[in-house]
Amino acid sequence: MKILVTGGLGYIGSHTVVELLQKDHEVIILDNLYNSSLDILARIHKITGKTPNFYQGNMGDEALVQRIFSENGKIDCCIHFAGLKVINESLENPLGYYSNNISCTLTLLKVLGKNNCRNFIFSSSASVYGDAAHVPVSEETPKGECSNPYAWSKSFTEQILYDLYQSDKTWNIVVLRYFNPVGAHASHLIGEIHQSAPPNLMPYITQVALGQREKLFIFGSDYPTRDGTGVRDFIHVVDLAKGHIAALGVFNTQNASPAYRIYNLGTGEGHSVLEIVQTFERVNSVKIPYALVERRPADIAVSFADVNKVYNELGWKSTLNLEDMCRDSYLFAKEYLESIK
């Protein structure tokens, strides 16, 4: 298939591009390099021996997106990763988040429809469930009250996509709700990069391990969990990328009708923050100093996925474990830091 990947040089996007190229798909990347680097293109080539067609720019640039179609002919599918994703930043700049994550997506969808590219995979988030009443969280769990504009932007976009499908059943839409992606490619050439304070647990741990930060702050030690710290479903980014390959199967099946489908991508089990720290220390033979501090507003105690639907319908399940996640995260961060010195 010929596939347009928005945000294809970002963390999850770049890993998915690698998997697509290794399955011999033709890939076109659109990325504005806001939270990525052109260097990732060379790293993708080093892993796969292939260089995707690359366009630098924003998905909200209607003329640019149309030029991509004009220059590349028929495109079979769009996988849409592009978007702002830092929770605290979204609280400080809600209009910027809604403008980029929703308005620009509307422009993208307009051009896709105009060019008869109606196979669409959307990068969503388990944050749309809010503080779910029960775990594990299944796709049938009602969406909840989101705690920040980032999560609302995902929830609103899902609604837009559902309404689009209801209005025009030639669209074939897959919504993938990610739980907590961590880890890096086995080559340790691509992984999660943050130039400033990372918003997520694992890259913060790696920065502490590498001496870039003094200690890790763990928010909340009095949750009703096995050790008092929050429990989340952490999934290796390579498993997550392969979930997108599985999702492409709904477009290739001759008997499958266009539909609006939702799938959770997680491991189906939860690990606490302290478990992550202890596993990271053990597999990498490092010490992670940490301090237990007060909970953050709107953080929830436990969240992990019910993954039966994605396995039963797409045949996908995670294969990499917590040790793999911790090891790959550390080795990538260590090697990347050396490469930019």
Side-chain angles (χ1 to χ4, degrees):
M1 297 176 74
K2 187 184 294 186
I3 302 171
L4 172 62
V5 181
T6 70
L9 295 186
Y11 176 44
I12 301 170
S14 62
H15 286 82
T16 303
V17 166
V18 165
E19 297 298 324
L20 290 169
L21 293 173
Q22 290 179 334
K23 292 292 185 180
D24 294 324
H25 294 288
E26 183 179 345
V27 177
I28 304 157
I29 294 175
L30 172 62
D31 198 304
N32 66 3
L33 304 183
Y34 176 78
N35 194 34
S36 57
S37 166
L38 197 56
D39 174 58
I40 303 302
L41 203 58
R43 292 169 178 262
I44 289 172
H45 177 81
K46 192 169 184 179
I47 295 169
T48 66
K50 301 173 183 178
T51 302
N53 198 357
F54 173 70
Y55 291 81
Q56 183 175 344
N58 195 288
M59 60 181 171
D61 184 340
E62 184 173 347
L64 174 59
V65 180
Q66 181 54 53
R67 181 161 68 88
I68 292 173
F69 279 90
S70 299
E71 293 178 356
N72 292 276
K74 172 64 176 172
I75 296 174
D76 301 297
C77 171
C78 176
I79 303 180
H80 181 32
F81 295 104
L84 301 174
K85 63 175 185 176
V86 180
I87 290 173
N88 288 341
E89 187 180 71
S90 78
L91 291 166
E92 296 166 0
N93 183 22
L95 294 183
Y97 265 66
Y98 290 135
S99 176
N100 186 83
N101 292 7
I102 298 176
S103 296
C104 291
T105 297
L106 290 173
T107 300
L108 174 68
L109 290 167
K110 176 183 174 182
V111 181
L112 293 178
K114 179 181 175 182
N115 289 275
N116 197 31
C117 179
R118 293 186 173 87
N119 293 324
F120 191 78
I121 297 176
F122 177 55
S123 167
S124 192
S125 166
S127 63
V128 302
Y129 292 116
D131 190 358
H134 303 285
V135 290
V137 180
S138 79
E139 293 86 350
E140 299 303 314
T141 300
K143 290 203 294 184
E145 185 74 15
C146 296
S147 61
N148 57 79
Y150 160 74
W152 278 120
S153 75
K154 293 296 186 182
S155 184
F156 291 152
T157 302
E158 285 192 11
Q159 186 63 49
I160 289 166
L161 292 170
Y162 177 78
D163 292 339
L164 176 62
Y165 170 72
Q166 290 297 326
S167 71
D168 181 355
K169 300 267 175 85
T170 64
W171 283 85
N172 204 356
I173 296 171
V174 178
V175 171
L176 299 178
R177 292 175 176 166
Y178 309 157
F179 278 69
N180 295 78
V182 295
H185 192 266
S187 66
H188 306 132
L189 287 168
I190 56 174
E192 191 167 10
I193 302 167
H194 292 281
Q195 306 302 331
S196 57
N200 304 321
L201 175 65
M202 188 65 80
Y204 207 108
I205 292 175
T206 62
Q207 289 189 3
V208 173
L210 293 169
Q212 296 173 290
R213 298 189 180 276
E214 180 184 355
K215 67 177 70 170
L216 170 71
F217 294 96
I218 296 176
F219 297 97
S221 58
D222 58 349
Y223 286 108
T225 62
R226 47 189 172 269
D227 60 23
T229 63
V231 170
R232 298 290 183 272
D233 189 336
F234 293 91
I235 176 173
H236 199 292
V237 66
V238 172
D239 277 335
L240 192 71
K242 290 179 178 178
H244 295 74
I245 305 300
L248 286 175
V250 305
F251 307 142
N252 290 327
T253 304
Q254 290 183 352
N255 295 328
S257 302
Y260 177 87
R261 302 171 175 87
I262 299 171
Y263 298 105
N264 287 336
L265 291 185
T267 64
E269 58 182 313
H271 294 285
S272 75
V273 175
L274 279 178
E275 283 182 89
I276 299 293
V277 171
Q278 292 160 1
T279 303
F280 191 99
E281 290 180 324
R282 176 170 52 81
V283 301
N284 295 310
S285 300
V286 295
K287 189 66 179 173
I288 305 297
Y290 65 85
L292 299 170
V293 297
E294 291 185 358
R295 300 183 189 186
R296 292 176 298 194
D299 274 0
I300 61 178
V302 180
S303 176
F304 61 96
D306 182 327
V307 292
N308 286 311
K309 181 181 178 183
V310 69
Y311 178 71
N312 292 333
E313 295 188 12
L314 302 184
W316 175 91
K317 64 179 179 179
S318 62
T319 60
L320 297 167
N321 60 27
L322 186 58
E323 287 79 6
D324 298 317
M325 300 177 209
C326 292
R327 184 181 302 109
D328 288 334
S329 294
Y330 178 62
L331 291 176
F332 165 74
K334 185 178 180 181
E335 293 180 27
Y336 184 80
L337 184 63
E338 288 295 323
S339 74
I340 61 174
K341 282 183 177 179

